[in-house]
Amino acid sequence: MSDNRLGTAVSPYLRQHAANPVDWREWGPDAFAEARERDVPVLVSVGYATCHWCHVMARESFSDPEIGGLLRRDFVAVKVDREERPDVDASLMAAASAFTQQLGWPLTVFATPEGRVFFAGTYYPPVPVGQVGSFRQVLAAVLDAWRERRSEVDANATAIAAAIRQGAEADAAAQGGAASDQGEPRLPSVDAIHSVTGQLAAAEDTTYGGFGGAPKFPSAPLLEFLREVAADGDDDAAALLDRSLRAVRDTELTDADGGVFRYATKRDWSVPHYERMLYDNAGLLAVAEPGQARGIADFLRDTLRRDDGAFVAAQDSESTMDGQRVEGAWYRLPLDERGRFAPPPLDDQVLTGWNGLAIRGLVIAGARHGDAEMIALARGAADAIVAGHVRDGHVTVRSSTPRGASSAPPTIEDVGLLAEGLLELALVTGDVAFAQVARSLVDDGLAGRFAVDPVLAAAGTVTGEQPQTALRSGTVALAATAAVLAALTGDAGYREAAAVLVADRAHTGTERPLGHADALGVALTLQRPSREVVVVAPVDDPMRAAAVAARRPGTVVATVTGEQAAAWTAAGFELFAGRDLPGAAAYVCHDRVCGLPARSAADLAAQLAAGATG
């Protein structure tokens, strides 16, 4: 008889395991208190709803009544959705790295009742494969260690927790100490940032495109860094970006409907890992050429968009065809034949941060390519997230589904990515309300108002946000937004805070750009003199397009109507003060000191080219 507690979970991943014969618990103090009372180890299994190998392990092991009975008798079993709880996932991943460098999901972790990890791995098969033991063998070995070598288990767990704590303290010290004795933030030089292009060129797969061998990931933050450097005058970066985007666009990694898969298992971008994540597609929107961006936007609109305008997290790799659960088969059908079968299911979580990333990508692509529908999709998502996940200017919900809001605390990813998306939307649409929410979110983020998980806190294994290769960092997004707010408000404190947030990451990125490329892009912006371009004109005025085309590191572009300019001024955004001359006008400003207004697109283009201050 199972006491499985996941049937009422908000998370779709947890609910997928509600019928397992395993007595799963959700992550929290109660599960670890039970382990202390029974003096048994805790098995923590981490995955997400569209994870193929998570499904495989569920079918092979977690659906096995014998394994269910073993876990019920000798362990407390805990399920974690990494999309819902990135804080828990980051901590457990840090611990797991002590045992394997082949990290991924499902993540299989064994912890003491105090929450400290003493052994970890990823997917375990039902029978031994090579040097990898079966899941039953792993459970038996863990129990043997727990019962016969308990002091060794406790010592290992304590040492791993201490290493995690020391790493987190070092990260905090580096971030807090990123200013020199003179109080100036230590950022890498422009030349050092540009030199990273050479490193990336050396890592390029010149045969098939992209970077490295198999598996091949699109790595949207890396591609966006190349776009930033290209806009700063680096032709080699522009060529490398173009080749990389074509590799993603013209291979099996991009589906026939425009959506992009998470990665390819082969060096030539073939045999995709078929799940499709919101964050990959949203990130690529910010760099994609027009046709590629349009295809991704269509995928977001037609597949991941809810009726209220928000976007769900992902689409599964597997679908049911002819009564069988299979990976990839639906995607391999021609588009006109897919309607005969149910599509792969969705991870129906609406994640605040990922929607912020989608809002940003849609706005950047819509403005760059003159696509009003993309901007409308961004506004729809922004309205839905602000209405459902934000209260009084503060993010209160990280994740929600049709079953309600998750109790998982919002993270810096949610605050930073949403703030950045909302401010991008405000600058393009002229709607100051989005900018006001963004400013409030940035203030929250800079104040460090984030809940700390009690289990991780008690174990001393809180890691904070970790660098990622596929998803723009919330910390970096917070810094980028703060830098823009400095230009809009005249508050230099925002720019100083931005530099402190990214300085250490950017220095690391000059040597190891993978995982830190987004910080390099913000550092480049902060190393350039601030330039602001404000267009006060009707929505169809050609000066708007000319201004958008001028976007590069260090340049903030805002397009508003006359009435909107007054609203921005009233809301405390000083850049817009006095920009209320009769008729359409555009202003090119340097550190908020503006030249004579341009009255035509040609005049504006000339001022931008000359760097005129008037």
Side-chain angles (χ1 to χ4, degrees):
M1 186 70 180
S2 173
D3 297 321
N4 192 309
R5 323 263 177 107
L6 304 185
T8 59
V10 169
S11 158
Y13 175 62
L14 269 55
R15 290 171 72 96
Q16 286 175 0
H17 292 268
N20 290 167
V22 179
D23 288 345
W24 293 115
R25 310 293 194 258
E26 292 196 49
W27 176 275
D30 290 350
F32 288 87
E34 179 184 340
R36 280 193 297 274
E37 182 179 344
R38 293 170 51 199
D39 192 29
V40 296
V42 180
L43 162 69
V44 187
S45 176
V46 186
Y48 54 101
T50 62
C51 166
H52 169 65
W53 287 103
C54 301
H55 298 331
V56 172
M57 193 167 177
R59 289 191 289 266
E60 292 174 342
S61 296
F62 298 138
S63 297
D64 184 329
E66 290 186 11
I67 288 179
L70 173 62
L71 292 175
R72 181 165 55 249
R73 183 182 69 243
D74 295 323
F75 296 83
V76 169
V78 174
K79 261 291 175 192
V80 173
D81 182 342
R82 71 169 297 263
E83 320 295 31
E84 182 182 37
R85 296 302 309 264
D87 53 342
V88 174
D89 179 64
S91 176
L92 298 182
M93 275 288 178
S97 67
F99 303 95
T100 177
Q101 296 305 304
Q102 303 301 313
L103 297 173
W105 301 276
L107 179 64
T108 305
V109 170
F110 297 91
T112 69
E114 292 72 39
R116 295 175 175 172
V117 175
F118 63 89
F119 186 69
T122 53
Y123 162 78
Y124 288 108
V127 296
V129 177
Q131 299 300 310
V132 179
S134 71
F135 188 49
R136 281 186 175 86
Q137 289 174 326
V138 170
L139 293 177
V142 166
L143 282 175
D144 180 70
W146 181 260
R147 292 166 176 167
E148 304 300 328
R149 298 184 300 280
R150 183 66 171 271
S151 60
E152 181 181 333
V153 166
D154 289 338
N156 286 343
T158 299
I160 292 168
I164 293 173
R165 182 169 58 255
Q166 290 167 7
E169 290 171 351
D171 289 345
Q175 191 174 96
S180 70
D181 293 339
Q182 289 76 36
E184 293 295 328
R186 295 192 306 266
L187 292 166
S189 68
V190 170
D191 287 344
I193 295 170
H194 273 264
S195 72
V196 174
T197 301
Q199 296 181 46
L200 297 176
E204 183 185 16
D205 182 341
T206 56
T207 301
Y208 297 111
F211 304 96
K216 281 279 184 67
F217 290 81
S219 301
L222 199 64
L223 299 183
E224 184 164 0
F225 166 69
L226 287 174
R227 177 173 282 282
E228 293 290 292
V229 177
D232 203 48
D234 189 326
D235 293 338
D236 290 338
L240 181 54
L241 172 65
D242 181 65
R243 293 192 297 272
S244 301
L245 285 173
R246 281 191 280 113
V248 171
R249 182 193 67 209
D250 297 338
T251 60
E252 293 179 36
L253 197 71
T254 296
D255 190 34
D257 67 359
V260 178
F261 297 112
R262 184 162 168 251
Y263 64 88
T265 62
K266 303 294 184 181
R267 179 187 162 200
D268 64 356
W269 297 96
S270 63
V271 193
H273 188 64
Y274 285 99
E275 61 188 339
R276 301 198 285 186
M277 315 302 293
L278 175 59
Y279 59 75
D280 284 320
N281 287 273
L284 288 169
L285 270 171
V287 297
E289 48 80 28
Q292 192 174 24
R294 185 63 256 176
I296 293 171
D298 288 346
F299 164 66
L300 296 188
R301 180 196 64 207
D302 298 338
T303 302
L304 298 187
R305 187 175 183 267
R306 293 198 322 188
D307 289 343
D308 66 354
F311 297 104
V312 300
Q315 186 174 31
D316 210 317
S317 60
E318 298 185 352
S319 61
T320 301
M321 300 182 67
D322 297 325
Q324 299 294 317
R325 183 85 168 176
V326 290
E327 183 193 18
W330 187 85
Y331 296 106
R332 291 189 290 269
L333 292 172
L335 279 178
D336 60 359
E337 293 185 22
R338 290 182 183 179
R340 297 191 295 114
F341 300 93
L346 302 175
D347 177 342
D348 65 357
Q349 285 186 97
V350 170
L351 297 167
T352 299
W354 294 14
N355 271 263
L357 193 67
I359 293 163
R360 176 177 183 264
L362 286 164
V363 170
I364 290 174
R368 180 181 293 144
H369 306 314
D371 192 317
E373 190 199 20
M374 291 186 193
I375 296 171
L377 289 170
R379 182 187 283 273
D383 287 339
I385 296 300
V386 171
H389 288 200
V390 176
R391 179 174 300 171
D392 298 328
H394 310 288
V395 175
T396 55
V397 175
R398 167 172 171 79
S399 169
S400 68
T401 71
R403 297 169 294 281
S406 168
S407 60
T411 67
I412 196 168
E413 175 185 287
D414 301 301
V415 172
L417 292 177
L418 181 60
E420 190 173 33
L422 292 179
L423 193 54
E424 288 279 3
L425 181 62
L427 292 172
V428 168
T429 64
D431 191 335
V432 71
F434 293 124
Q436 290 173 294
V437 176
R439 182 173 56 190
S440 179
L441 297 182
V442 168
D443 291 343
D444 270 1
L446 296 180
R449 297 170 184 161
F450 301 100
V452 176
D453 179 79
V455 175
L456 299 181
T461 58
V462 177
T463 61
E465 187 187 41
Q466 299 299 296
Q468 301 183 58
T469 59
L471 175 64
R472 186 170 175 83
S473 157
T475 300
V476 170
L478 183 68
T481 313
V484 175
L485 285 174
L488 299 176
T489 64
D491 185 345
Y494 280 125
R495 190 176 178 91
E496 293 164 4
V500 170
L501 285 173
V502 299
D504 186 61
R505 290 171 181 250
H507 277 289
T508 302
T510 59
E511 299 177 356
R512 302 193 303 275
L514 195 64
H516 301 274
D518 47 7
L520 286 169
V522 177
L524 183 60
T525 289
L526 292 168
Q527 288 287 52
R528 290 304 190 193
S530 178
R531 181 175 74 160
E532 305 85 32
V533 182
V534 180
V535 178
V536 185
V539 294
D540 58 352
D541 192 290
M543 286 192 293
R544 289 183 172 233
V548 169
R551 178 171 171 152
R552 61 168 175 75
T555 297
V556 173
V557 177
T559 54
V560 298
T561 65
E563 183 177 351
Q564 289 173 331
W568 282 78
T569 302
F573 296 97
E574 293 182 2
L575 179 63
F576 298 87
R579 315 288 170 232
D580 54 358
L581 295 177
Y587 304 84
V588 178
C589 315
H590 295 267
D591 200 15
R592 297 175 307 283
V593 177
C594 305
L596 295 174
R599 295 294 191 174
S600 69
D603 188 7
L604 175 58
Q607 286 196 28
L608 290 169
T613 59

